[in-house]
């Protein structure tokens, strides 16, 4: 499933032709209500129109969907859902700018576009509706309490990988066995294993055709690299920034952990134990190299993917096996791997909604246990039954109502409020569920928190350029175009002069005010 990316706000002065084309495309994808989009509204029903990006993994919702009918009956509404194609948050912004706003809208959290919804009064505070909607109140005031602006909550945020993670360094267990080695617990052991994977013929084919470690290339949008686990092992405490000796926020490459971490990474790269295409790989290419036996270790997402990785590997190497564990620890026992998320989704009630009480009730239902059970399991006796305490799905009936196959959730459950990872959701029929959940527990233990949880407007404005500067400097250092010490010095100067100092001033004000 795709993750949302930060997007720029489109100008309001769009041509009529462009706007009509966008609206037509979005409307043509999904528009439904109880009894179909052209059906008459029943007495007492309140029309609620929801504009969302949905998810490309979800099925198209049918006009006579019984889950939608159950929601309508429960809440006394007539729900219509407008899903823009391909998770295109930009098109959501266009529709919002057109003036023909829905009652509820889901866009990308942490972007200038959704900030403008608030600034321009296009969405309303939800505080007045908390008393009648306890799940929504808990979501905002407990889980995402920091998302308030001046004490007001303008929507229900959902940050991807905020409290859970799913990436670990996968290794070929059969290669470890052949080399009489164990999964590395320290940076020294990691170097030894990657060296053996590269130079000691772990697959026994007599050829020099393997490498120790591969991964997807650095992500300039997020400012992350395939080697962040090294910096965490050397003592980097936070996922986004660092603190100096005086308690002031600084960029994380100015932390004392960065230079020794870069030396370790550069040494791995220079030694040839790292895939020489790691700065170019997209994730499918990194996965392919693991499956083909070209790499012995890979940084990859697990959770529901663990079965897929093993099956794909064994199609080529039937006797192969995979293992995983916490990332290696550094000199002082520190370790980490994934960064806590900052971006995701934002579901709001618009200022044009004529029945905000019903809109708020719908949002509350969607994140309640009753609502999530309905969207994941369906209606008991129709979509599933319970036999000896176990859920038994009726896939034939589920297919009639927009559920994904093999026990996966209804189309309404995908994307806007949950990913399966964040709520540890796997179908009851998944035979590998315990192992998948184990990978989440380990990955989450290795997740590093953010120092600043919010995304202020200035960070939205500056992060694109600043992350590009960081990734380019990282690339230059790892490929020995510049020494680590000179590279960090030049990086710091350029990063600060291109907007970094301005950003740090704003972040320090936020940090000190929230202490």
């Amino acid at each position: 499933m795709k993750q949302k990316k930060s997007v720029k706000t489109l100008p309001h002065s769009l041509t009529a032709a462009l706007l009509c084309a966008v609206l037509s495309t979005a409307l043509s994808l999904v528009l439904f209500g109880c009894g179909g989009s052209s059906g008459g509204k029943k007495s007492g029903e309140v029309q609620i129109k929801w504009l969302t990006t949905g998810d490309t993994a979800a099925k198209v919702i049918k006009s006579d969907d019984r889950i939608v009918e159950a929601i309508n009956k429960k809440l006394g509404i007539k729900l219509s859902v407008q899903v823009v194609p391909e998770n295109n948050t930009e098109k959501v912004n266009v529709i919002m700018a057109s003036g023909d706003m829905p009652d509820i809208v889901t866009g990308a959290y942490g972007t200038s576009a959704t900030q403008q919804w608030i600034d321009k009064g296009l969405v309303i505070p939800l505080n007045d509706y908390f008393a009648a909607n306890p799940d929504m109140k808990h979501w905002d005031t407990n889980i995402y309490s920091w998302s308030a602006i001046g004490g007001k909550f303008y929507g229900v945020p959902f940050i991807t990988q905020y409290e859970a993670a799913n990436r670990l360094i996968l290794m070929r267990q059969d290669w470890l066995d052949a080399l009489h080695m164990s999964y590395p617990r320290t940076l020294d052991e990691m170097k030894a294993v990657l060296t053996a994977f590269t130079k000691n013929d772990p697959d026994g084919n007599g050829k020099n055709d393997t490498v120790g470690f591969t991964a997807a290339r650095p992500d300039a949008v997020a400012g992350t690299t395939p080697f962040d686990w090294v910096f965490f092992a050397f003592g980097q405490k936070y996922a986004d920034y660092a603190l100096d000796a005086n308690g002031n926020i600084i960029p994380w490459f100015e932390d004392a952990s960065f230079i020794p971490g870069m030396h370790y990474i550069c040494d791995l790269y220079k030694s040839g134990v790292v895939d020489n295409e790691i700065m170019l790989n997209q994730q499918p290419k990194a996965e392919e190299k693991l499956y083909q036996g070209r790499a012995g270790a890979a940084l990859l997402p697990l959770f529901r993917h663990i079965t897929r990785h093993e099956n794909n590997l064994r199609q080529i190497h039937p006797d192969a096996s995979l293992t995983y564990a916490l990332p290696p620890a550094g000199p002082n026992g520190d370790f980490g791997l994934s960064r806590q998320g900052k971006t995701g989704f934002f579901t709001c009630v618009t200022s044009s909604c004529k029945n905000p009480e019903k809109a708020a009730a719908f949002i509350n239902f969607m994140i309640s246990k009753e609502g999530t059970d309905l969207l994941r399991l369906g209606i008991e006796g129709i979509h599933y039954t319970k036999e000896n305490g176990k859920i038994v799905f009726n896939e034939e009936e589920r297919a009639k109502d927009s559920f994904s196959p093999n026990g996966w959730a209804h189309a309404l459950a995908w994307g806007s409020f949950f990913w399966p990872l964040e709520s540890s959701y796997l179908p009851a029929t998944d035979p590998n569920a315990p192992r998948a959940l184990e990978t989440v527990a380990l990955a989450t233990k290795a997740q590093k928190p953010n120092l600043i949880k919010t995304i202020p407007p200035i960070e939205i404005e500056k992060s694109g350029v600043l992350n590009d500067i960081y990734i380019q400097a990282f690339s230059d250092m790892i490929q020995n175009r510049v020494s680590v010490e000179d590279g960090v010095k030049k990086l710091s100067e350029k990063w600060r002069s291109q907007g970094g100092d301005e950003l740090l001033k704003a972040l320090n004000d936020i940090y000190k005010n929230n202490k």
Side-chain angles (χ1 to χ4, degrees):
M1 289 178 285
K2 296 181 180 179
Q3 299 287 344
K4 302 291 188 294
K5 294 183 178 180
S6 297
V7 295
K8 296 180 180 179
T9 307
L10 292 182
H12 289 258
S13 56
L14 292 165
T15 64
L18 173 61
L19 184 56
C20 288
V22 171
L23 290 170
S24 175
T25 302
L27 283 167
S28 67
L29 189 65
V30 178
L31 182 61
F32 71 89
C34 181
S37 59
S38 60
K41 187 174 76 172
K42 295 179 181 179
S43 176
E45 285 182 335
V46 171
Q47 181 78 39
I48 294 294
K49 182 178 177 182
W50 180 24
L51 169 65
T52 180
T53 55
D55 184 78
T56 53
K59 294 183 67 175
V60 174
I61 305 172
K62 302 173 184 178
S63 61
D64 59 350
D65 188 279
R66 287 173 288 185
I67 296 300
V68 176
E69 291 178 355
I71 293 173
N72 287 342
K73 183 177 180 181
K74 168 75 178 179
L75 301 178
I77 63 175
K78 178 179 171 63
L79 177 67
S80 63
V81 180
Q82 181 179 343
V83 182
V84 299
E86 300 175 359
N87 306 108
N88 197 323
T89 55
E90 197 167 271
K91 291 183 179 179
V92 171
N93 301 334
V94 172
I95 296 170
M96 286 291 287
S98 73
D100 183 22
M101 294 192 297
D103 300 292
I104 302 170
V105 60
T106 298
Y109 185 79
T111 65
S112 57
T114 48
Q115 183 62 44
Q116 285 197 19
W117 296 353
I118 297 169
D119 294 342
K120 294 180 179 295
L122 301 183
V123 296
I124 65 173
L126 299 178
N127 302 53
D128 290 345
Y129 307 99
F130 283 164
N133 298 286
D135 293 290
M136 185 172 70
K137 178 182 179 181
H138 176 79
W139 190 283
D140 272 356
T141 61
N142 288 68
I143 302 174
Y144 295 107
S145 59
W146 45 264
S147 67
I149 299 176
K152 295 181 179 180
F153 293 91
Y154 287 89
V156 171
F158 164 46
I159 307 302
T160 55
Q161 299 209 15
Y162 176 60
E163 293 183 316
N166 72 337
R167 293 201 309 163
L168 291 171
I169 299 174
L170 267 177
M171 284 193 175
R172 287 284 296 270
Q173 179 64 58
D174 53 317
W175 285 15
L176 290 170
D177 293 341
L179 297 167
H180 306 289
M181 304 181 84
S182 301
Y183 193 98
R185 297 168 298 173
T186 68
L187 289 176
D188 288 343
E189 290 178 4
M190 174 63 87
K191 183 179 179 181
V193 166
L194 298 186
T195 300
F197 279 176
T198 306
K199 300 180 179 181
N200 294 0
D201 191 22
D203 58 359
N205 67 356
K207 299 178 181 179
N208 183 22
D209 57 357
T210 58
V211 72
F213 178 73
T214 192
R217 65 192 181 192
D219 184 344
V221 174
T224 59
T225 81
F227 297 97
D228 288 353
W229 50 274
V230 177
F231 301 121
F232 294 133
F234 275 100
Q236 182 68 251
K237 293 183 178 180
Y238 299 103
D240 49 357
Y241 302 99
L243 292 173
D244 65 15
N246 297 317
N248 296 310
I249 294 178
I250 56 174
W252 86 325
F253 52 79
E254 291 183 1
D255 186 77
S257 63
F258 190 82
I259 287 179
M262 275 305 310
H263 277 296
Y264 178 89
I265 296 166
C266 291
D267 182 51
L268 292 182
Y269 196 85
K270 183 179 179 180
S271 299
V273 304
V274 171
D275 177 10
N276 60 12
E277 296 178 327
I278 201 167
M279 302 303 287
L280 303 173
N281 288 336
Q282 295 185 350
Q283 185 176 301
K285 178 59 69 173
E287 292 180 356
E288 179 183 287
K289 291 177 179 180
L290 180 71
Y291 305 153
Q292 292 176 344
R294 295 160 62 189
L299 175 60
L300 295 175
L302 298 184
F303 186 45
R304 62 190 182 87
H305 299 286
I306 182 63
T307 300
R308 177 175 66 85
H309 294 320
E310 288 185 329
N311 290 344
N312 288 341
L313 173 65
R314 287 171 180 164
Q315 284 182 5
I316 303 174
H317 304 282
D319 297 326
S321 57
L322 292 173
T323 189
Y324 49 82
L326 291 172
N332 297 318
D334 298 307
F335 67 89
L337 199 153
S338 295
R339 301 188 184 193
Q340 184 181 44
K342 277 195 175 185
T343 60
F345 309 89
F346 199 43
T347 300
C348 313
V349 177
T350 71
S351 56
S352 64
C353 179
K354 296 180 180 178
N355 294 280
E357 295 85 0
K358 289 289 188 180
F362 171 74
I363 294 173
N364 186 81
F365 181 77
M366 292 292 284
I367 61 179
S368 69
K369 185 180 186 305
E370 181 183 1
T372 53
D373 283 350
L374 176 66
L375 295 177
R376 291 173 178 177
L377 302 178
I379 301 168
E380 187 171 3
I382 298 176
H383 301 108
Y384 75 97
T385 56
K386 291 181 179 178
E387 297 181 9
N388 299 320
K390 294 184 177 180
I391 300 295
V392 178
F393 290 118
N394 185 330
E395 290 293 350
E396 182 179 353
E397 290 297 322
R398 286 165 60 86
K400 298 176 183 178
D401 291 312
S402 308
F403 283 90
S404 292
N406 301 317
W408 285 96
H410 187 273
L412 283 181
W414 294 85
S416 301
F417 303 102
F418 297 99
W419 292 125
L421 170 65
E422 273 72 16
S423 54
S424 297
Y425 164 62
L426 287 168
T429 51
D430 189 332
N432 214 10
R435 193 175 184 205
L437 293 174
E438 178 191 34
T439 70
V440 174
L442 289 170
T444 303
K445 188 174 182 179
Q447 186 184 49
K448 287 293 185 176
N450 290 319
L451 187 60
I452 303 293
K453 297 189 183 301
T454 57
I455 306 181
I458 190 171
E459 186 173 79
I460 297 170
E461 176 190 348
K462 304 291 186 183
S463 61
V465 170
L466 297 178
N467 286 343
D468 280 341
I469 292 171
Y470 168 65
I471 295 301
Q472 183 58 58
F474 179 88
S475 177
D476 289 342
M477 286 183 280
I478 194 176
Q479 296 181 78
N480 200 32
R481 297 190 186 114
V482 62
S483 71
V484 170
E485 284 75 14
D486 286 346
V488 172
K489 181 180 178 182
K490 292 176 181 178
L491 166 60
S492 183
E493 291 171 352
K494 187 173 183 179
W495 191 92
R496 284 177 172 273
S497 66
Q498 295 293 317
D501 276 336
E502 186 181 353
L503 172 60
L504 291 175
K505 183 180 183 305
L507 293 175
N508 274 295
D509 289 341
I510 293 170
Y511 180 68
K512 290 171 183 177
N513 288 335
N514 290 339
K515 273 189 173 181

